[in-house]
Amino acid sequence: MAETRPSAASAIRVLLVDDHQVVRRGLRTFLEVQPDIEVVGEAADGEEGVARARELGPDVILMDVKMPGTDGITALRTLRDEGSKARVLIVTSFTERRTVVPALRAGASGYVYKDIDPDALAGAIRSVHAGHVLLQPEVADALLSREETPGGTGRAGTLTDREREVLGLIADGRSNREIARALVLSEKTVKTHVSNILMKLDLADRTQAALWAVRHGVGG
C-alpha cells in the first residue's frame, strides 16, 4: 500500500534561513522526504528571513545565528516584537554560550548544532512545533555552567507543591496541554501556574524555567 502523506494543511511548514546555499539545499533535500514536513521557503540572511516569515507564515523556522547583514538573533528579536507565532529552532555551528544565551532570550524554541543527525533534526522540528523547548545536551551543559545566581536555590522555597510539579514537567519539555493532562488540570489553570512560577523565580519564559529547574534539581 502506498504511503499516505499528510495534506498540505496538516504538514509542518518550515522556512530555512541560512547564508550558505549548500546548507539550505542539504536541509531541503532531507526535509522534503519527511511525510509530515513541508519546506515552504528559504532566506539567505535575517532580514530576508523576517520578510519571508511575514509572507509565508511558517510553523517552524530553522535559523542560523551568524549571517552577514542581519544576524539570526536580531531576526529573532524582530519576529518576537512583531508577534510572530512561528517557533524558531536555531541550527548553527557556533557552540559558545555567548551565542546560545542571547538566542534563547530572544525567543528561540530550541538550539541544535549543524552536525545533528538528520532524523534527530526532523524530530527536533516536530518537538518545537508541538510547543516543547529543545536543547542538545552540550547546549544545556553550557547554560548550566553559568555562575550561580545568589539566592537562586532559595527561591524554590517560594513555590507551592503544585508549582514544583508543573516546573518539573516544564523541564521535561511538556506543553501546557500535556501538563494539564498529566496533572488532571485545565489548561487555564496550568497557564496560571506557569505565570506564577515565572514571576516568583524572576524568569522571562519557559526556556529559562526549564533550565532553572534542571540546574536547581527542582521537579521531575
Side-chain angles (χ1 to χ4, degrees):
M1 180 180 296
E3 180 181 7
T4 301
R5 292 179 63 89
S7 67
S10 62
I12 302 171
R13 304 174 74 255
V14 175
L15 173 65
L16 308 177
V17 184
D18 193 292
D19 60 314
H20 293 98
Q21 184 178 11
V22 172
V23 172
R24 298 198 309 272
R25 183 181 301 127
L27 289 170
R28 177 182 281 275
T29 298
F30 169 71
L31 294 176
E32 284 184 338
V33 303
Q34 300 300 308
D36 58 341
I37 296 174
E38 177 189 6
V39 178
V40 296
E42 300 180 17
D45 60 33
E47 182 178 5
E48 185 183 3
V50 170
R52 295 290 278 165
R54 294 187 191 117
E55 172 191 353
L56 299 168
D59 299 310
V60 175
I61 301 173
L62 300 190
M63 180 90 73
D64 194 7
V65 173
K66 299 292 185 180
M67 294 181 286
T70 302
D71 62 26
I73 294 173
T74 301
L76 262 168
R77 290 175 179 143
T78 300
L79 290 168
R80 179 193 61 192
D81 292 344
E82 292 183 355
S84 171
K85 301 300 183 185
R87 306 278 290 177
V88 179
L89 178 63
I90 296 294
V91 184
T92 185
S93 57
F94 290 86
T95 62
E96 296 92 343
R97 182 167 59 82
R98 64 177 178 269
T99 64
V100 179
V101 174
L104 294 175
R105 286 179 174 169
S109 300
Y111 197 114
V112 297
Y113 298 139
K114 286 183 178 177
D115 61 358
I116 186 174
D117 178 85
D119 288 328
L121 177 60
I125 291 171
R126 297 181 185 109
S127 181
V128 297
H129 179 251
H132 300 166
V133 174
L134 187 142
L135 301 174
Q136 283 188 266
E138 310 88 73
V139 178
D141 288 345
L143 292 172
L144 296 175
S145 67
R146 298 174 70 186
E147 292 183 5
E148 186 70 40
T149 301
T153 304
R155 291 203 298 271
T158 67
L159 301 177
T160 67
D161 290 342
R162 179 63 86 187
E163 287 166 353
R164 291 171 68 94
E165 287 182 294
V166 171
L167 181 56
L169 292 171
I170 290 174
D172 288 339
R174 306 287 191 90
S175 66
N176 283 353
R177 179 173 297 179
E178 291 170 328
I179 294 172
R181 188 179 301 120
L183 299 180
V184 194
L185 300 171
S186 69
E187 285 190 58
K188 182 177 180 180
T189 298
V190 172
K191 289 179 182 178
T192 298
H193 285 313
V194 173
S195 296
N196 290 339
I197 290 166
L198 297 180
M199 178 185 65
K200 288 181 178 182
L201 300 182
D202 192 24
L203 302 173
D205 52 40
R206 295 172 70 95
T207 301
Q208 291 186 11
L211 294 169
W212 194 97
V214 172
R215 178 167 190 163
H216 296 290
V218 175

